[in-house]
Amino acid sequence: MGSIDEALKANELYAQNFPFADSPKVPARKLAVLGCMDARMNIERILGLEPGDAHVLRNAGAIATEDVVRSLLVSNYLLGTNEVMIIGHTDCGALGLNDGELRERIERERGATAASPAQFLGFSNLEANLGRQLRTLRAHPWIPESISIRGFIYDVATGRLAEVKTNRPAITTE
Amino acid sequence: MGSIDEALKANELYAQNFPFADSPKVPARKLAVLGCMDARMNIERILGLEPGDAHVLRNAGAIATEDVVRSLLVSNYLLGTNEVMIIGHTDCGALGLNDGELRERIERERGATAASPAQFLGFSNLEANLGRQLRTLRAHPWIPESISIRGFIYDVATGRLAEVKTNRPAITTE
């Protein structure tokens, strides 16, 4: 049996005793979380979140892409969230990902096209990358300054979050 | 106490008895899931997934954006996933979202800028939107035909998934 069919069987069990019919559409904790897609990170479990508590956004590397900004604006303006966590993690697949090498491999296997994506957004330093994502969101003209945005590194070996502090100013001159 | 600090307290408990130190980086089920950011959808719980099982990608509306394609290519090529589920859901915030109205509101409150995102990607029909996302991924020249891509609607009132079948050809002439 394939993994999708296996997941569908698990869903049948889940739906048989479903206690979340009244979970709110508007996140009860007014929280939005951006995390990596990594298989080891169950965001809700890591943070003790129940259905109805928080929006969860995830992509490769927990990068503040245009798609993430789009989703956060919907979350902030239409559904009232006012705190944002960005969660990177140790041993991330995007850490050391070489954009050029991956592009060359795909073009070799599939042909060179003008296909998106333009970049794969690999990075070489976990904390520095997280700092960039924090600054991207804090500097965005459409994300209100009243939204609290904080960044963390999740340790996949211990399950523990550690905060990464950055200068509050949106753009530093370092 | 704010929601982030509350989540950090929950994380301390989570890390005190952490049984997932040996979860694999390469998803054990070779599965990637694209779901909506909606607070009511705990993707792992809905599908019976444990840490280490599957990549989880989430954004507003479960839309196959450039960022999602980027993440899926990393997932497929570098981490070996070969099945993809897209999961939309009933009562989605993007259902009926009027792009122009949201943009006008944000510009009124924050000022008109050339800021991204270009679009908010609201839609008017759940199944038709899901069909579009399936076709986008199936037609992408860099996603191998060997990857199984299937689409589902999650019912937030029952916890149940229902498959949305579409024509297999990537681009229909309907």
Side-chain angles (χ1 to χ4, degrees), chain B residues 72-87:
Chain B
L72 278 180
L73 291 171
V74 171
S75 176
N76 296 162
Y77 282 85
L78 298 183
L79 292 155
T81 56
N82 58 22
E83 292 187 73
V84 176
M85 298 178 85
I86 308 181
I87 307 182

Side-chain angles (χ1 to χ4, degrees), chain B residues 1-2 20 35 48 66 73 79 96 112 142 148 162:
Chain B
M1 180 161 53
F20 304 118
E66 174 170 343
L73 291 171
L79 292 155
W142 285 355
S148 171

Side-chain angles (χ1 to χ4, degrees), chain B residues 3 7 10 16 33 39 49 53-54 60 66-67 69 71 76 80 83 86 100 105-106 120 129-131 136 146 148 162:
Chain B
S3 289
Q16 272 170 26
V33 184
L49 299 172
D53 276 348
E66 174 170 343
D67 191 31
V69 172
S71 300
N76 296 162
E83 292 187 73
I86 308 181
R105 175 179 160 196
I106 294 176
F120 291 102
N129 173 67
L130 184 61
T136 296
S146 58
S148 171

Side-chain angles (χ1 to χ4, degrees), chain A residues 130-150:
Chain A
L130 184 61
R132 276 193 297 276
Q133 310 317 317
L134 287 166
R135 285 192 290 273
T136 296
L137 294 186
R138 287 175 182 157
H140 197 285
W142 285 356
I143 297 177
E145 292 83 359
S146 59
I147 307 275
S148 171
I149 304 172
R150 293 165 63 183

Side-chain angles (χ1 to χ4, degrees), chain B residues 18-41:
Chain B
F18 184 66
F20 304 118
D22 297 321
S23 292
K25 178 177 189 168
V26 173
R29 299 207 195 176
K30 301 188 176 188
L31 174 67
V33 184
L34 166 61
C36 184
M37 69 178 179
D38 193 278
R40 294 163 292 185
M41 290 177 77

Side-chain angles (χ1 to χ4, degrees), chain A residues 7-159:
Chain A
L8 293 176
K9 278 183 78 81
N11 177 252
E12 281 177 30
L13 286 176
Y14 179 76
Q16 271 171 26
N17 280 295
F18 184 68
F20 305 118
D22 297 322
S23 292
K25 178 177 189 168
V26 173
R29 299 207 196 175
K30 301 189 178 188
L31 175 66
V33 184
L34 167 61
C36 184
M37 69 177 179
D38 193 278
R40 293 163 291 185
M41 290 176 77
N42 180 324
I43 298 288
E44 288 88 343
R45 228 155 134 170
I46 290 170
L47 301 176
L49 300 172
E50 287 297 312
D53 275 349
H55 285 145
V56 179
L57 290 71
R58 299 177 64 179
N59 65 19
I63 308 291
T65 60
E66 174 171 341
D67 190 31
V68 164
V69 172
R70 173 186 74 84
S71 300
L72 278 179
L73 291 171
V74 171
S75 175
N76 296 161
Y77 282 85
L78 298 183
L79 292 154
T81 56
N82 57 24
E83 292 187 75
V84 176
M85 296 178 87
I86 307 181
I87 307 182
H89 66 99
T90 59
D91 195 35
C92 184
L95 191 58
L97 185 162
N98 184 307
D99 264 57
E101 277 176 19
L102 179 53
R103 174 170 296 272
E104 278 166 32
R105 175 178 160 197
I106 293 177
E107 289 186 349
R108 204 164 52 235
E109 293 181 19
R110 303 287 306 174
T113 69
S116 60
Q119 294 180 291
F120 291 103
L121 307 177
F123 50 82
S124 58
N125 181 294
L126 211 51
E127 286 76 14
N129 174 67
L130 184 61
R132 276 193 297 276
Q133 310 317 317
L134 287 166
R135 285 192 290 273
T136 296
L137 294 186
R138 287 175 182 157
H140 197 285
W142 285 356
I143 297 177
E145 292 83 359
S146 59
I147 307 275
S148 171
I149 304 172
R150 293 165 63 183
F152 301 86
I153 303 287
Y154 175 76
D155 187 329
V156 296
T158 67

Side-chain angles (χ1 to χ4, degrees), chain B residues 37-168:
Chain B
M37 69 178 179
D38 193 278
R40 294 163 292 185
M41 290 177 77
N42 180 323
I43 298 289
E44 288 88 344
R45 229 156 133 168
I46 289 170
L47 301 177
L49 299 172
E50 288 297 313
D53 276 348
H55 285 145
V56 179
L57 290 69
R58 300 178 63 179
N59 65 19
I63 308 291
T65 60
E66 174 170 343
D67 191 31
V68 164
V69 172
R70 173 186 75 84
S71 300
L72 278 180
L73 291 171
V74 171
S75 176
N76 296 162
Y77 282 85
L78 298 183
L79 292 155
T81 56
N82 58 22
E83 292 187 73
V84 176
M85 298 178 85
I86 308 181
I87 307 182
H89 66 98
T90 59
D91 195 35
C92 183
L95 190 58
L97 186 163
N98 183 308
D99 264 56
E101 278 175 19
L102 179 54
R103 174 169 296 272
E104 278 167 31
R105 175 179 160 196
I106 294 176
E107 289 186 350
R108 202 163 54 235
E109 294 181 18
R110 302 287 306 172
T113 68
S116 59
Q119 294 181 290
F120 291 102
L121 306 178
F123 49 83
S124 57
N125 181 294
L126 211 50
E127 285 78 12
N129 173 67
L130 184 61
R132 276 194 297 277
Q133 310 318 317
L134 287 167
R135 284 192 290 274
T136 296
L137 294 187
R138 287 176 182 156
H140 197 286
W142 285 355
I143 297 178
E145 293 82 0
S146 58
I147 308 275
S148 171
I149 305 172
R150 293 165 61 184
F152 302 86
I153 303 288
Y154 175 76
D155 187 329
V156 296
T158 67
R160 201 172 295 277
L161 290 168
E163 184 153 14
V164 174
K165 302 272 189 181
T166 62
N167 290 331
R168 190 66 202 180

